mmCIF file of all heavy atoms in Angstrom:
data_model
loop_
_atom_site.group_PDB
_atom_site.id
_atom_site.type_symbol
_atom_site.label_atom_id
_atom_site.label_comp_id
_atom_site.label_asym_id
_atom_site.label_seq_id
_atom_site.Cartn_x
_atom_site.Cartn_y
_atom_site.Cartn_z
ATOM 1 N N VAL L 1 -69.486 -6.456 -24.535
ATOM 2 C CA VAL L 1 -69.528 -6.938 -23.156
ATOM 3 C C VAL L 1 -70.895 -7.553 -22.858
ATOM 4 O O VAL L 1 -70.989 -8.615 -22.224
ATOM 5 C CB VAL L 1 -69.217 -5.798 -22.167
ATOM 6 C CG1 VAL L 1 -69.541 -6.224 -20.736
ATOM 7 C CG2 VAL L 1 -67.758 -5.388 -22.267
ATOM 8 N N SER L 2 -71.948 -6.890 -23.335
ATOM 9 C CA SER L 2 -73.301 -7.392 -23.122
ATOM 10 C C SER L 2 -73.465 -8.777 -23.739
ATOM 11 O O SER L 2 -74.087 -9.672 -23.144
ATOM 12 C CB SER L 2 -74.322 -6.433 -23.740
ATOM 13 O OG SER L 2 -75.634 -6.941 -23.640
ATOM 14 N N PHE L 3 -72.883 -8.985 -24.922
ATOM 15 C CA PHE L 3 -72.982 -10.291 -25.578
ATOM 16 C C PHE L 3 -72.255 -11.362 -24.770
ATOM 17 O O PHE L 3 -72.832 -12.409 -24.448
ATOM 18 C CB PHE L 3 -72.391 -10.228 -26.986
ATOM 19 C CG PHE L 3 -72.201 -11.589 -27.620
ATOM 20 C CD1 PHE L 3 -73.271 -12.254 -28.184
ATOM 21 C CD2 PHE L 3 -70.955 -12.211 -27.606
ATOM 22 C CE1 PHE L 3 -73.115 -13.518 -28.743
ATOM 23 C CE2 PHE L 3 -70.782 -13.476 -28.171
ATOM 24 C CZ PHE L 3 -71.871 -14.134 -28.743
ATOM 25 N N PHE L 4 -70.988 -11.127 -24.445
ATOM 26 C CA PHE L 4 -70.186 -12.153 -23.782
ATOM 27 C C PHE L 4 -70.720 -12.486 -22.388
ATOM 28 O O PHE L 4 -70.735 -13.654 -21.992
ATOM 29 C CB PHE L 4 -68.728 -11.718 -23.708
ATOM 30 C CG PHE L 4 -68.012 -11.806 -25.034
ATOM 31 C CD1 PHE L 4 -67.606 -10.662 -25.695
ATOM 32 C CD2 PHE L 4 -67.771 -13.032 -25.620
ATOM 33 C CE1 PHE L 4 -66.962 -10.730 -26.928
ATOM 34 C CE2 PHE L 4 -67.125 -13.121 -26.854
ATOM 35 C CZ PHE L 4 -66.721 -11.973 -27.508
ATOM 36 N N ILE L 5 -71.167 -11.464 -21.655
ATOM 37 C CA ILE L 5 -71.706 -11.714 -20.322
ATOM 38 C C ILE L 5 -73.092 -12.342 -20.426
ATOM 39 O O ILE L 5 -73.426 -13.276 -19.692
ATOM 40 C CB ILE L 5 -71.744 -10.412 -19.503
ATOM 41 C CG1 ILE L 5 -70.316 -9.937 -19.214
ATOM 42 C CG2 ILE L 5 -72.510 -10.625 -18.196
ATOM 43 C CD1 ILE L 5 -70.240 -8.650 -18.428
ATOM 44 N N GLY L 6 -73.918 -11.826 -21.342
ATOM 45 C CA GLY L 6 -75.269 -12.350 -21.527
ATOM 46 C C GLY L 6 -75.285 -13.807 -21.936
ATOM 47 O O GLY L 6 -76.166 -14.571 -21.526
ATOM 48 N N GLN L 7 -74.298 -14.221 -22.728
ATOM 49 C CA GLN L 7 -74.195 -15.619 -23.156
ATOM 50 C C GLN L 7 -73.398 -16.469 -22.167
ATOM 51 O O GLN L 7 -73.146 -17.651 -22.422
ATOM 52 C CB GLN L 7 -73.519 -15.687 -24.536
ATOM 53 C CG GLN L 7 -74.300 -15.007 -25.648
ATOM 54 C CD GLN L 7 -75.641 -15.654 -25.898
ATOM 55 O OE1 GLN L 7 -75.739 -16.877 -25.938
ATOM 56 N NE2 GLN L 7 -76.672 -14.842 -26.055
ATOM 57 N N GLU L 8 -72.994 -15.844 -21.057
ATOM 58 C CA GLU L 8 -72.210 -16.516 -20.008
ATOM 59 C C GLU L 8 -70.917 -17.124 -20.556
ATOM 60 O O GLU L 8 -70.506 -18.233 -20.187
ATOM 61 C CB GLU L 8 -73.059 -17.598 -19.318
ATOM 62 C CG GLU L 8 -74.287 -17.030 -18.620
ATOM 63 C CD GLU L 8 -75.086 -18.090 -17.880
ATOM 64 O OE1 GLU L 8 -74.832 -19.298 -18.098
ATOM 65 O OE2 GLU L 8 -75.965 -17.722 -17.084
ATOM 66 N N LEU L 9 -70.272 -16.356 -21.431
ATOM 67 C CA LEU L 9 -69.006 -16.789 -22.012
ATOM 68 C C LEU L 9 -67.813 -16.124 -21.332
ATOM 69 O O LEU L 9 -66.676 -16.563 -21.510
ATOM 70 C CB LEU L 9 -68.980 -16.471 -23.513
ATOM 71 C CG LEU L 9 -70.030 -17.192 -24.361
ATOM 72 C CD1 LEU L 9 -69.980 -16.692 -25.802
ATOM 73 C CD2 LEU L 9 -69.832 -18.710 -24.306
ATOM 74 N N ALA L 10 -68.057 -15.061 -20.583
ATOM 75 C CA ALA L 10 -66.981 -14.333 -19.903
ATOM 76 C C ALA L 10 -67.576 -13.506 -18.776
ATOM 77 O O ALA L 10 -68.789 -13.277 -18.720
ATOM 78 C CB ALA L 10 -66.239 -13.433 -20.896
ATOM 79 N N THR L 11 -66.705 -13.059 -17.878
ATOM 80 C CA THR L 11 -67.119 -12.172 -16.791
ATOM 81 C C THR L 11 -66.611 -10.766 -17.080
ATOM 82 O O THR L 11 -65.720 -10.572 -17.908
ATOM 83 C CB THR L 11 -66.542 -12.637 -15.451
ATOM 84 O OG1 THR L 11 -65.100 -12.563 -15.517
ATOM 85 C CG2 THR L 11 -66.955 -14.065 -15.153
ATOM 86 N N LEU L 12 -67.200 -9.801 -16.395
ATOM 87 C CA LEU L 12 -66.769 -8.418 -16.575
ATOM 88 C C LEU L 12 -65.297 -8.265 -16.208
ATOM 89 O O LEU L 12 -64.556 -7.533 -16.868
ATOM 90 C CB LEU L 12 -67.635 -7.486 -15.722
ATOM 91 C CG LEU L 12 -67.376 -5.981 -15.885
ATOM 92 C CD1 LEU L 12 -67.597 -5.539 -17.330
ATOM 93 C CD2 LEU L 12 -68.282 -5.187 -14.945
ATOM 94 N N THR L 13 -64.872 -8.980 -15.184
ATOM 95 C CA THR L 13 -63.473 -8.906 -14.752
ATOM 96 C C THR L 13 -62.526 -9.390 -15.848
ATOM 97 O O THR L 13 -61.488 -8.766 -16.097
ATOM 98 C CB THR L 13 -63.254 -9.756 -13.486
ATOM 99 O OG1 THR L 13 -64.117 -9.288 -12.440
ATOM 100 C CG2 THR L 13 -61.812 -9.668 -13.028
ATOM 101 N N SER L 14 -62.887 -10.476 -16.523
ATOM 102 C CA SER L 14 -62.010 -11.015 -17.570
ATOM 103 C C SER L 14 -61.956 -10.111 -18.798
ATOM 104 O O SER L 14 -61.017 -10.174 -19.589
ATOM 105 C CB SER L 14 -62.476 -12.412 -17.977
ATOM 106 O OG SER L 14 -63.738 -12.362 -18.612
ATOM 107 N N LEU L 15 -62.968 -9.243 -18.949
ATOM 108 C CA LEU L 15 -63.027 -8.344 -20.110
ATOM 109 C C LEU L 15 -62.517 -6.938 -19.798
ATOM 110 O O LEU L 15 -62.481 -6.085 -20.685
ATOM 111 C CB LEU L 15 -64.472 -8.256 -20.633
ATOM 112 C CG LEU L 15 -65.073 -9.552 -21.174
ATOM 113 C CD1 LEU L 15 -66.562 -9.364 -21.457
ATOM 114 C CD2 LEU L 15 -64.346 -10.006 -22.429
ATOM 115 N N ASP L 16 -62.144 -6.719 -18.537
ATOM 116 C CA ASP L 16 -61.716 -5.377 -18.095
ATOM 117 C C ASP L 16 -60.637 -4.771 -18.981
ATOM 118 O O ASP L 16 -60.670 -3.577 -19.282
ATOM 119 C CB ASP L 16 -61.208 -5.428 -16.648
ATOM 120 C CG ASP L 16 -62.321 -5.135 -15.649
ATOM 121 O OD1 ASP L 16 -63.398 -4.706 -16.105
ATOM 122 O OD2 ASP L 16 -62.116 -5.344 -14.453
ATOM 123 N N CYS L 17 -59.670 -5.586 -19.375
ATOM 124 C CA CYS L 17 -58.543 -5.051 -20.132
ATOM 125 C C CYS L 17 -58.958 -4.557 -21.515
ATOM 126 O O CYS L 17 -58.242 -3.775 -22.141
ATOM 127 C CB CYS L 17 -57.442 -6.099 -20.267
ATOM 128 S SG CYS L 17 -57.943 -7.581 -21.166
ATOM 129 N N PHE L 18 -60.118 -4.996 -22.003
ATOM 130 C CA PHE L 18 -60.571 -4.598 -23.337
ATOM 131 C C PHE L 18 -61.466 -3.362 -23.314
ATOM 132 O O PHE L 18 -61.724 -2.763 -24.357
ATOM 133 C CB PHE L 18 -61.333 -5.741 -24.008
ATOM 134 C CG PHE L 18 -60.545 -7.009 -24.131
ATOM 135 C CD1 PHE L 18 -60.870 -8.125 -23.382
ATOM 136 C CD2 PHE L 18 -59.463 -7.096 -25.002
ATOM 137 C CE1 PHE L 18 -60.143 -9.300 -23.487
ATOM 138 C CE2 PHE L 18 -58.721 -8.266 -25.113
ATOM 139 C CZ PHE L 18 -59.063 -9.368 -24.354
ATOM 140 N N ILE L 19 -61.961 -2.990 -22.137
ATOM 141 C CA ILE L 19 -62.920 -1.882 -22.068
ATOM 142 C C ILE L 19 -62.389 -0.697 -21.270
ATOM 143 O O ILE L 19 -63.124 0.241 -20.973
ATOM 144 C CB ILE L 19 -64.261 -2.356 -21.466
ATOM 145 C CG1 ILE L 19 -64.071 -2.922 -20.056
ATOM 146 C CG2 ILE L 19 -64.900 -3.395 -22.376
ATOM 147 C CD1 ILE L 19 -65.363 -3.348 -19.381
ATOM 148 N N SER L 20 -61.110 -0.730 -20.936
ATOM 149 C CA SER L 20 -60.513 0.363 -20.172
ATOM 150 C C SER L 20 -60.528 1.671 -20.966
ATOM 151 O O SER L 20 -60.283 1.683 -22.178
ATOM 152 C CB SER L 20 -59.073 0.008 -19.793
ATOM 153 O OG SER L 20 -58.425 1.118 -19.209
ATOM 154 N N THR L 21 -60.833 2.756 -20.284
ATOM 155 C CA THR L 21 -60.800 4.083 -20.918
ATOM 156 C C THR L 21 -59.548 4.855 -20.510
ATOM 157 O O THR L 21 -59.396 6.024 -20.876
ATOM 158 C CB THR L 21 -62.051 4.899 -20.527
ATOM 159 O OG1 THR L 21 -62.123 5.000 -19.091
ATOM 160 C CG2 THR L 21 -63.309 4.244 -21.044
ATOM 161 N N SER L 22 -58.650 4.191 -19.769
ATOM 162 C CA SER L 22 -57.432 4.872 -19.318
ATOM 163 C C SER L 22 -56.336 4.851 -20.370
ATOM 164 O O SER L 22 -55.303 5.481 -20.218
ATOM 165 C CB SER L 22 -56.923 4.231 -18.022
ATOM 166 O OG SER L 22 -56.598 2.860 -18.241
ATOM 167 N N VAL L 23 -56.550 4.091 -21.462
ATOM 168 C CA VAL L 23 -55.562 4.040 -22.551
ATOM 169 C C VAL L 23 -55.982 5.018 -23.642
ATOM 170 O O VAL L 23 -57.114 5.496 -23.665
ATOM 171 C CB VAL L 23 -55.445 2.613 -23.121
ATOM 172 C CG1 VAL L 23 -54.903 1.669 -22.070
ATOM 173 C CG2 VAL L 23 -56.793 2.109 -23.634
ATOM 174 N N ASP L 24 -55.055 5.328 -24.569
ATOM 175 C CA ASP L 24 -55.379 6.298 -25.616
ATOM 176 C C ASP L 24 -56.384 5.719 -26.610
ATOM 177 O O ASP L 24 -56.691 4.523 -26.618
ATOM 178 C CB ASP L 24 -54.114 6.777 -26.334
ATOM 179 C CG ASP L 24 -53.352 5.643 -27.032
ATOM 180 O OD1 ASP L 24 -53.998 4.686 -27.504
ATOM 181 O OD2 ASP L 24 -52.118 5.726 -27.101
ATOM 182 N N LEU L 25 -56.904 6.603 -27.479
ATOM 183 C CA LEU L 25 -57.957 6.205 -28.402
ATOM 184 C C LEU L 25 -57.516 5.107 -29.362
ATOM 185 O O LEU L 25 -58.292 4.214 -29.706
ATOM 186 C CB LEU L 25 -58.454 7.420 -29.192
ATOM 187 C CG LEU L 25 -59.401 8.368 -28.455
ATOM 188 C CD1 LEU L 25 -59.779 9.548 -29.344
ATOM 189 C CD2 LEU L 25 -60.663 7.632 -28.010
ATOM 190 N N GLN L 26 -56.261 5.161 -29.817
ATOM 191 C CA GLN L 26 -55.773 4.152 -30.741
ATOM 192 C C GLN L 26 -55.812 2.765 -30.107
ATOM 193 O O GLN L 26 -56.226 1.791 -30.724
ATOM 194 C CB GLN L 26 -54.346 4.479 -31.186
ATOM 195 C CG GLN L 26 -53.775 3.521 -32.230
ATOM 196 C CD GLN L 26 -54.571 3.498 -33.512
ATOM 197 O OE1 GLN L 26 -54.629 4.499 -34.225
ATOM 198 N NE2 GLN L 26 -55.209 2.383 -33.810
ATOM 199 N N GLU L 27 -55.394 2.684 -28.846
ATOM 200 C CA GLU L 27 -55.412 1.406 -28.146
ATOM 201 C C GLU L 27 -56.852 0.947 -27.903
ATOM 202 O O GLU L 27 -57.142 -0.255 -27.953
ATOM 203 C CB GLU L 27 -54.659 1.524 -26.823
ATOM 204 C CG GLU L 27 -54.564 0.224 -26.032
ATOM 205 C CD GLU L 27 -53.913 -0.905 -26.812
ATOM 206 O OE1 GLU L 27 -53.011 -0.625 -27.645
ATOM 207 O OE2 GLU L 27 -54.296 -2.070 -26.600
ATOM 208 N N GLN L 28 -57.757 1.886 -27.659
ATOM 209 C CA GLN L 28 -59.164 1.533 -27.479
ATOM 210 C C GLN L 28 -59.743 0.957 -28.772
ATOM 211 O O GLN L 28 -60.552 0.023 -28.741
ATOM 212 C CB GLN L 28 -59.975 2.744 -27.025
ATOM 213 C CG GLN L 28 -59.677 3.189 -25.601
ATOM 214 C CD GLN L 28 -60.602 4.299 -25.138
ATOM 215 O OE1 GLN L 28 -61.831 4.198 -25.263
ATOM 216 N NE2 GLN L 28 -60.034 5.371 -24.606
ATOM 217 N N VAL L 29 -59.330 1.522 -29.901
ATOM 218 C CA VAL L 29 -59.765 0.986 -31.205
ATOM 219 C C VAL L 29 -59.267 -0.450 -31.368
ATOM 220 O O VAL L 29 -60.007 -1.329 -31.808
ATOM 221 C CB VAL L 29 -59.253 1.870 -32.362
ATOM 222 C CG1 VAL L 29 -59.494 1.185 -33.705
ATOM 223 C CG2 VAL L 29 -59.944 3.232 -32.339
ATOM 224 N N HIS L 30 -58.014 -0.698 -30.997
ATOM 225 C CA HIS L 30 -57.451 -2.044 -31.076
ATOM 226 C C HIS L 30 -58.229 -3.013 -30.184
ATOM 227 O O HIS L 30 -58.465 -4.172 -30.566
ATOM 228 C CB HIS L 30 -55.978 -2.035 -30.662
ATOM 229 C CG HIS L 30 -55.084 -1.399 -31.678
ATOM 230 N ND1 HIS L 30 -53.806 -0.965 -31.394
ATOM 231 C CD2 HIS L 30 -55.283 -1.120 -32.998
ATOM 232 C CE1 HIS L 30 -53.268 -0.450 -32.479
ATOM 233 N NE2 HIS L 30 -54.140 -0.532 -33.461
ATOM 234 N N CYS L 31 -58.629 -2.545 -29.009
ATOM 235 C CA CYS L 31 -59.394 -3.398 -28.093
ATOM 236 C C CYS L 31 -60.751 -3.774 -28.693
ATOM 237 O O CYS L 31 -61.206 -4.917 -28.563
ATOM 238 C CB CYS L 31 -59.596 -2.691 -26.751
ATOM 239 S SG CYS L 31 -58.092 -2.584 -25.749
ATOM 240 N N VAL L 32 -61.382 -2.816 -29.355
ATOM 241 C CA VAL L 32 -62.665 -3.091 -30.005
ATOM 242 C C VAL L 32 -62.477 -4.084 -31.154
ATOM 243 O O VAL L 32 -63.303 -4.974 -31.369
ATOM 244 C CB VAL L 32 -63.314 -1.787 -30.516
ATOM 245 C CG1 VAL L 32 -64.468 -2.079 -31.462
ATOM 246 C CG2 VAL L 32 -63.818 -0.954 -29.345
ATOM 247 N N GLN L 33 -61.367 -3.964 -31.880
ATOM 248 C CA GLN L 33 -61.075 -4.922 -32.954
ATOM 249 C C GLN L 33 -60.915 -6.330 -32.391
ATOM 250 O O GLN L 33 -61.378 -7.311 -32.993
ATOM 251 C CB GLN L 33 -59.805 -4.508 -33.698
ATOM 252 C CG GLN L 33 -59.969 -3.248 -34.540
ATOM 253 C CD GLN L 33 -58.656 -2.806 -35.182
ATOM 254 O OE1 GLN L 33 -57.596 -2.887 -34.564
ATOM 255 N NE2 GLN L 33 -58.732 -2.338 -36.414
ATOM 256 N N LYS L 34 -60.255 -6.438 -31.255
ATOM 257 C CA LYS L 34 -60.076 -7.747 -30.616
ATOM 258 C C LYS L 34 -61.434 -8.329 -30.206
ATOM 259 O O LYS L 34 -61.716 -9.514 -30.447
ATOM 260 C CB LYS L 34 -59.186 -7.613 -29.374
ATOM 261 C CG LYS L 34 -57.752 -7.202 -29.664
ATOM 262 C CD LYS L 34 -56.981 -7.001 -28.365
ATOM 263 C CE LYS L 34 -55.556 -6.533 -28.603
ATOM 264 N NZ LYS L 34 -54.814 -6.339 -27.326
ATOM 265 N N LEU L 35 -62.267 -7.505 -29.582
ATOM 266 C CA LEU L 35 -63.585 -7.963 -29.153
ATOM 267 C C LEU L 35 -64.420 -8.415 -30.343
ATOM 268 O O LEU L 35 -65.130 -9.420 -30.280
ATOM 269 C CB LEU L 35 -64.310 -6.840 -28.394
ATOM 270 C CG LEU L 35 -63.777 -6.518 -26.992
ATOM 271 C CD1 LEU L 35 -64.376 -5.209 -26.489
ATOM 272 C CD2 LEU L 35 -64.094 -7.655 -26.026
ATOM 273 N N HIS L 36 -64.321 -7.658 -31.441
ATOM 274 C CA HIS L 36 -65.114 -8.016 -32.619
ATOM 275 C C HIS L 36 -64.633 -9.342 -33.221
ATOM 276 O O HIS L 36 -65.451 -10.166 -33.647
ATOM 277 C CB HIS L 36 -65.037 -6.915 -33.677
ATOM 278 C CG HIS L 36 -65.939 -7.176 -34.850
ATOM 279 N ND1 HIS L 36 -67.297 -6.981 -34.778
ATOM 280 C CD2 HIS L 36 -65.682 -7.652 -36.099
ATOM 281 C CE1 HIS L 36 -67.849 -7.320 -35.939
ATOM 282 N NE2 HIS L 36 -66.889 -7.729 -36.760
ATOM 283 N N HIS L 37 -63.326 -9.543 -33.245
ATOM 284 C CA HIS L 37 -62.804 -10.798 -33.776
ATOM 285 C C HIS L 37 -63.281 -11.986 -32.933
ATOM 286 O O HIS L 37 -63.691 -13.024 -33.470
ATOM 287 C CB HIS L 37 -61.272 -10.758 -33.813
ATOM 288 C CG HIS L 37 -60.671 -11.908 -34.556
ATOM 289 N ND1 HIS L 37 -59.373 -12.344 -34.330
ATOM 290 C CD2 HIS L 37 -61.184 -12.742 -35.505
ATOM 291 C CE1 HIS L 37 -59.126 -13.378 -35.119
ATOM 292 N NE2 HIS L 37 -60.198 -13.637 -35.835
ATOM 293 N N MET L 38 -63.237 -11.823 -31.614
ATOM 294 C CA MET L 38 -63.716 -12.892 -30.733
ATOM 295 C C MET L 38 -65.209 -13.142 -30.951
ATOM 296 O O MET L 38 -65.667 -14.290 -30.965
ATOM 297 C CB MET L 38 -63.443 -12.535 -29.271
ATOM 298 C CG MET L 38 -61.957 -12.538 -28.909
ATOM 299 S SD MET L 38 -61.651 -12.435 -27.129
ATOM 300 C CE MET L 38 -62.142 -10.747 -26.778
ATOM 301 N N LEU L 39 -65.969 -12.059 -31.134
ATOM 302 C CA LEU L 39 -67.401 -12.196 -31.384
ATOM 303 C C LEU L 39 -67.652 -12.955 -32.682
ATOM 304 O O LEU L 39 -68.496 -13.856 -32.740
ATOM 305 C CB LEU L 39 -68.044 -10.812 -31.470
ATOM 306 C CG LEU L 39 -69.529 -10.795 -31.844
ATOM 307 C CD1 LEU L 39 -70.383 -11.251 -30.681
ATOM 308 C CD2 LEU L 39 -69.966 -9.411 -32.297
#
């Protein structure tokens, strides 16, 4: 999140779905994989 916002490539709102803690751990791992691929 720090990278995408710091580089002005995305807003916190647009990244909300990838950093939610309301989903289970497996889904959180998938979200991190998505963020890493985009990075």
Side-chain angles (χ1 to χ4, degrees):
V1 168
S2 176
F3 168 79
F4 286 112
I5 293 179
Q7 297 297 316
E8 298 183 347
L9 297 175
T11 63
L12 185 59
T13 301
S14 66
L15 296 172
D16 268 349
C17 62
F18 303 111
I19 59 177
S20 172
T21 57
S22 61
V23 295
D24 61 32
L25 282 178
Q26 184 61 65
E27 182 57 33
Q28 290 186 50
V29 170
H30 288 163
C31 288
V32 167
Q33 290 176 321
K34 294 176 182 180
L35 288 168
H36 186 76
H37 190 203
M38 291 191 290
L39 175 74

